[in-house]
Amino acid sequence: MNYKLSDILIGLLFSGLIIGTGFMQTQLKNEPQIYMLLFGLLTLGSLFARQPLKTSIPFYILLGTMLFINIYILTNQIVNAISPDDGWLVNTNGERLGIMRMNWIWGVLAGLVLTPLTIVLYHKKIRRNKVLEISLTSIFIILTAIIYIKHEIL
């Protein structure tokens, strides 16, 4: 097999997206995990369809969701590292009482800006590799099923 450097980099990016999405999925309740599993199955089914426009829409939604999740997590970690005590109120006895942190707003804003830009860049500049896209979707489905079974059924 003759792999290009761009395919290897896209594969590594997809691997990172899977890892970040997996961490986020462990925090979800029962119903959103089922929806993610069903959407993954729909996306995988659409990747085997013959019409390229219809196959790309569910995949781009799945990719966008995964990008947003990972950008949010990464931005939130960076902002929390820069400002670790944001959101803590210290009372007169010296106890730390937690209040709502507002650092999550930066993650949402970064995700809302960077996700569409990344999707457009992927669509316009990267030659799509259907094998990588099917692999990403299949691993997403397997990971979602494992996390659902481990955290909700067992």
Side-chain angles (χ1 to χ4, degrees), residues 26-79:
T26 61
Q27 306 300 315
L28 291 178
K29 296 195 184 295
N30 183 11
E31 201 169 292
Q33 286 185 15
I34 292 172
Y35 291 144
M36 290 184 80
L37 185 60
L38 291 175
F39 188 73
L41 291 169
L42 172 77
T43 302
L44 185 62
S46 75
L47 287 171
F48 289 107
R50 297 274 181 219
Q51 298 172 340
L53 176 63
K54 291 182 181 176
T55 63
S56 61
I57 293 170
F59 178 75
Y60 285 145
I61 292 171
L62 180 66
L63 183 62
T65 303
M66 294 173 78
L67 279 166
F68 181 85
I69 289 166
N70 283 275
I71 291 169
Y72 173 82
I73 291 170
L74 183 61
T75 304
N76 202 27
Q77 292 296 324
I78 290 170
V79 171

Side-chain angles (χ1 to χ4, degrees), residues 67-136:
L67 279 166
F68 181 85
I69 289 166
N70 283 275
I71 291 169
Y72 173 82
I73 291 170
L74 183 61
T75 304
N76 202 27
Q77 292 296 324
I78 290 170
V79 171
N80 285 339
I82 292 170
S83 178
D85 289 330
D86 180 49
W88 288 100
L89 173 69
V90 179
N91 69 6
T92 56
N93 296 332
E95 294 179 45
R96 292 181 89 180
L97 303 172
I99 60 172
M100 184 172 177
R101 298 175 69 128
M102 297 306 290
N103 289 346
W104 62 270
I105 291 174
W106 296 110
V108 170
L109 291 174
L112 288 174
V113 170
L114 295 177
T115 298
L117 292 175
T118 307
I119 294 291
V120 168
L121 176 72
Y122 180 78
H123 179 72
K124 298 225 183 242
K125 300 290 182 185
I126 306 293
R127 193 173 124 291
R128 292 182 65 187
N129 185 334
K130 197 141 183 155
V131 172
L132 279 175
E133 292 178 0
I134 290 171
S135 299
L136 171 72

